[in-house]
């Protein structure tokens, strides 16, 4: 019989081996089965910070046998457009269930993609198809691999188990705020690809989805083009999963031109804000900071009429160049598994409304491009990013030197007034929100904190509408999926949506 014990507390200096001792005392013998179910840090009282666990154990051998997934015989061809979290997890699930997915990815595999990103950072040579936004693993590969989510999708557990299965640390299965780290995530992504191929699937890298053929409102084939050779080809299929990512602007326009119904969405824009990791750790943990992993935070301010919030916080991380179009600057955040960098950073976002950028379908997308191009020009038109110290931003001055915090942005920065890049409502909201956030996280309004712009790819500016059958309301056989199609936000929810779509497709063909 398995015994579960909740609310088990360990001092931050105690080893997790103490948990096994607790189980041993309860059983009066060495457990033959032991498992950590949950782990979280309780730091509400800085004088009594401790870990809290839920554990399961038994005196007998126990097996956790999940029922096998039902497989499809004689499966149809399924194209998965996009190899980000949604597309990869969709393709893995399809492979698990007997399909031979064809994954179409405009960028390169994770190895060549890493080289392209390095080239951009060091020599400012941008590959518009292979960069931080596009390529195997999607935008999440160059982030932190954060797997926490506010959604309660029934597939969230499947996502964690999938990433663990392909090499992510076991702790993601039970840690309250799991992350893989960009360094480890690359290996996980590669292992997923190798598995899909071993099951008979196929990857078409450096290949753009340029069109499709429909008849009587149903998909008949997809048209793709190799960006290196220019060669076009047609794949006969009546099923295509559109896991496009939030930056596939040309693809959104192509779909619209071909009658696929979509709607504009509200989104947010902002900056990356950097503090010393040691100061964030001290603010969160007090004198115990040296005994704990790099601290994270999550802040929301309603002090201004527009909500301001932190997003994709990267403890011990760096700010990275994330442009995908010539003549634009986009920033993002990244950290490795150990989160050992000098700075910690977070996106600091201001919620916009349609009145800020227009009611047209692509007005939001055009607005994003406009501020990215403004950031590019004001920083010298060389992919360096405009930055400003918070104290100077608050006072309306242009910064002239870094203080205790230096920028980690790899492509270089130029001191410039962020007011000239951000819309007025966003700049005003940030000036109100940062001191308000400082009331909850002391030091957040440090005058030497570095603000770097622009963070403009928070979410997709459009949603490809789908029905209860998860298919496009316009074209049967097109399955909009994940963040780019407007149905998720972040790695976990995107991956969960991919698995959900895969299972739906499988269900239609189980007995066919």
């Amino acid at each position: 019989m398995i015994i579960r014990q909740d609310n088990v507390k360990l001092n931050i200096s105690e080893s997790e081996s103490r948990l096994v001792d607790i189980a041993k005392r309860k059983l009066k013998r060495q457990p033959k089965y032991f498992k950590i179910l949950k782990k979280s840090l309780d730091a509400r009282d800085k004088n009594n910070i401790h870990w809290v666990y839920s554990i399961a154990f038994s005196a007998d051998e126990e097996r956790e046998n999940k029922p096998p997934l039902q497989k499809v015989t004689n499966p149809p061809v399924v194209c998965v457009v996009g190899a980000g979290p949604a597309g990869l997890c969709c393709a893995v699930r399809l492979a698990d269930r007997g399909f031979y997915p064809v994954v179409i990815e405009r960028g390169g595999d994770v190895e060549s993609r890493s080289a392209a990103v390095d080239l951009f950072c060091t020599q400012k040579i941008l590959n518009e198809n292979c960069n931080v936004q596009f390529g195997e693993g999607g935008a999440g590969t160059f982030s932190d691999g954060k797997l926490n989510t506010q959604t309660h999708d029934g597939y969230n557990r499947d996502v964690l188990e999938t990433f663990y299965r392909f090499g992510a640390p076991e702790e993601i299965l039970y840690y309250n705020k799991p992350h893989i780290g960009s360094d480890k995530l690359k290996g996980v992504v590669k292992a997923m690809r190798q598995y899909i191929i071993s099951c008979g699937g196929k990857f078409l890298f450096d290949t753009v989805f340029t069109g499709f053929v429909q008849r009587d409102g149903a998909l008949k084939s997809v048209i793709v083009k190799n960006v290196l050779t220019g060669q076009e080809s047609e794949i006969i299929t009546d099923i295509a999963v559109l896991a496009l990512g939030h930056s596939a602007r040309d693809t959104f326009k192509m779909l619209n031109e071909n009658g696929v119904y979509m709607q504009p969405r509200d989104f947010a824009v902002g900056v990356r804000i950097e503090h010393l990791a040691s100061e964030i750790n001290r603010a969160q943990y007090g004198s115990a900071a040296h005994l704990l992993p790099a601290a994270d935070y999550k802040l929301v301010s309603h002090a201004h009429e527009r909500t301001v919030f932190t997003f994709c916080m990267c403890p011990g991380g760096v700010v990275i160049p994330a442009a995908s179009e010539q003549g634009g600057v986009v920033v993002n955040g990244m950290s490795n598994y150990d989160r050992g960098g000098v700075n910690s950073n977070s996106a600091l976002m201001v919620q916009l409304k349609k009145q800020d950028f227009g009611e047209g379908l692509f007005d939001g997308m055009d607005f994003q491009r406009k501020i990215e191009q403004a950031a590019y020009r004001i920083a010298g038109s060389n992919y360096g990013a405009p930055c400003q110290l918070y104290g100077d931003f608050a006072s309306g001055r242009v910064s002239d030197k870094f203080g205790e915090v230096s920028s980690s942005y790899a492509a270089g920065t130029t001191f410039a007034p962020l007011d000239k890049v951000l819309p007025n409502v966003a700049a005003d909201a940030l000036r109100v929100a940062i001191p308000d956030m400082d009331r909850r996280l002391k030091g957040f309004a440090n005058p030497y904190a570095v603000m770097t712009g622009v963070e403009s790819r928070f979410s997709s500016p459009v949603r490809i509408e789908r029905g209860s059958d998860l298919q496009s309301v316009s074209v049967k056989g097109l399955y909009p999926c994940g963040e780019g199609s407007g149905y998720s936000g972040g790695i976990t929810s995107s991956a969960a949506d991919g698995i959900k779509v895969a299972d739906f497709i499988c269900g239609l063909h189980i007995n066919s």
Side-chain angles (χ1 to χ4, degrees), residues 88-105:
L88 278 178
C89 284
C90 179
V92 166
R93 187 66 145 220
L94 289 169
D96 285 342
R97 303 197 65 171
F99 286 75
Y100 313 111
V102 179
V103 182
I104 300 164
E105 171 54 55

Side-chain angles (χ1 to χ4, degrees), residues 51-271:
W51 294 104
V52 182
Y53 295 83
S54 291
I55 57 176
F57 49 89
S58 174
D60 304 311
E61 295 282 358
E62 300 285 350
R63 291 185 178 182
E64 300 174 52
N65 292 323
K66 292 183 69 173
L69 293 168
Q70 191 172 1
K71 294 199 173 187
V72 172
T73 56
N74 300 316
V77 174
V78 177
C79 287
V80 178
V81 184
L88 278 178
C89 284
C90 179
V92 166
R93 187 66 145 220
L94 289 169
D96 285 342
R97 303 197 65 171
F99 286 75
Y100 313 111
V102 179
V103 182
I104 300 164
E105 171 54 55
R106 71 189 305 157
D109 61 28
V110 74
E111 296 94 341
S112 61
R113 186 182 179 202
S114 296
V117 171
D118 289 344
L119 187 66
F120 180 46
C121 290
T122 57
Q123 299 184 38
K124 313 294 182 67
I125 298 173
L126 175 63
N127 183 331
E128 289 187 292
N129 290 305
C130 190
N131 45 61
V132 167
Q133 306 296 347
F134 299 133
E136 187 178 28
T141 301
F142 293 91
S143 62
D144 179 73
K146 285 176 285 294
L147 302 178
N148 48 302
T149 178
Q150 291 182 309
T151 68
H152 299 285
D153 193 295
Y155 286 102
N156 287 349
R157 183 67 186 181
D158 296 73
V159 173
L160 298 178
E161 290 176 351
T162 298
F163 284 125
Y164 170 61
R165 171 182 164 193
F166 291 104
E170 185 177 11
E171 68 193 38
I172 70 169
L173 298 176
Y174 55 79
Y175 194 32
N176 182 48
K177 295 181 179 179
H179 80 284
I180 302 175
S182 289
D183 50 342
K184 293 184 180 292
L185 189 54
K186 294 173 185 176
V188 173
V189 165
K190 180 179 178 180
M192 294 171 79
R193 180 221 312 161
Q194 292 172 332
Y195 170 75
I196 293 164
I197 293 172
S198 73
C199 293
K202 184 188 299 184
F203 278 74
L204 302 179
F205 288 114
D206 304 305
T207 301
V208 179
F209 170 48
T210 57
F212 61 92
V213 176
Q214 60 174 309
R215 190 175 302 118
D216 299 325
L219 181 69
K220 296 302 176 185
S221 67
V222 301
I223 311 299
V224 299
K225 180 179 179 179
N226 185 289
V227 299
L228 302 180
T229 66
Q231 182 177 355
E232 278 198 342
S233 56
E234 182 178 17
I235 303 172
I236 305 302
T237 179
D238 57 6
I239 304 173
V241 178
L242 304 182
L244 304 175
H246 52 46
S247 295
R249 293 168 172 171
D250 54 349
T251 308
F252 293 145
K253 287 198 169 184
M254 179 274 291
L255 291 169
N256 178 61
E257 290 165 1
N258 283 274
V260 175
Y261 181 63
M262 55 186 75
Q263 295 195 71
R265 300 176 69 219
D266 290 343
F267 56 92
V269 299
V271 297

Side-chain angles (χ1 to χ4, degrees), residues 235-450:
I235 303 172
I236 305 302
T237 179
D238 57 6
I239 304 173
V241 178
L242 304 182
L244 304 175
H246 52 46
S247 295
R249 293 168 172 171
D250 54 349
T251 308
F252 293 145
K253 287 198 169 184
M254 179 274 291
L255 291 169
N256 178 61
E257 290 165 1
N258 283 274
V260 175
Y261 181 63
M262 55 186 75
Q263 295 195 71
R265 300 176 69 219
D266 290 343
F267 56 92
V269 299
V271 297
R272 280 273 155 181
I273 186 165
E274 293 190 85
H275 302 82
L276 290 176
S278 59
E279 293 303 310
I280 296 297
N281 297 346
R282 189 174 297 111
Q284 294 289 63
Y285 301 144
S287 60
H290 66 289
L291 297 172
L292 292 164
D296 64 0
Y297 58 77
K298 184 177 181 181
L299 300 170
V300 178
S301 172
H302 300 287
H304 188 269
E305 62 171 321
R306 299 299 176 86
T307 300
V308 180
F309 57 95
T310 60
F311 172 77
C312 188
M313 193 270 159
C314 296
V318 295
V319 178
I320 62 171
S324 62
E325 293 182 347
Q326 299 289 343
V329 166
V330 181
V331 300
N332 200 353
M334 186 186 86
S335 54
N336 289 328
Y337 175 72
D338 68 0
R339 293 176 163 176
V342 173
N343 290 355
S344 288
N345 74 79
S346 176
L348 186 59
M349 309 301 294
V350 180
Q351 189 67 50
L352 299 185
K353 300 178 180 179
K354 290 187 180 70
Q355 68 195 57
D356 299 315
F357 50 83
E359 298 284 342
L361 177 58
F362 295 123
D363 285 353
M365 191 170 75
D366 293 339
F367 178 85
Q368 290 175 331
R369 181 180 286 124
K370 178 181 176 182
I371 64 172
E372 292 165 11
Q373 292 173 346
Y376 176 80
R377 290 191 301 270
I378 203 170
S381 300
N382 64 355
Y383 295 107
C387 75
Q388 198 170 7
L389 305 191
Y390 164 65
D392 294 327
F393 174 76
S395 302
R397 299 186 301 265
V398 178
S399 303
D400 57 7
K401 63 179 179 179
F402 293 113
E404 61 190 47
V405 186
S406 295
S407 170
S408 64
Y409 184 78
T413 56
T414 296
F415 289 121
L418 293 172
D419 298 76
K420 301 293 186 181
V421 178
L422 296 170
N424 291 337
V425 68
D428 292 344
L430 290 175
R431 286 193 174 93
V432 172
I434 292 174
D436 183 50
M437 291 176 169
D438 187 80
R439 296 183 181 97
R440 292 179 290 286
L441 181 62
K442 195 64 179 173
F444 192 78
N446 184 329
Y448 297 110
V450 177

Side-chain angles (χ1 to χ4, degrees), residues 25-36:
R25 285 201 304 271
K26 183 81 172 180
L27 295 170
K28 296 183 173 55
R29 59 185 292 186
Q30 190 72 24
K32 291 186 177 180
Y33 169 86
F34 177 85
K35 187 175 184 178
I36 297 175

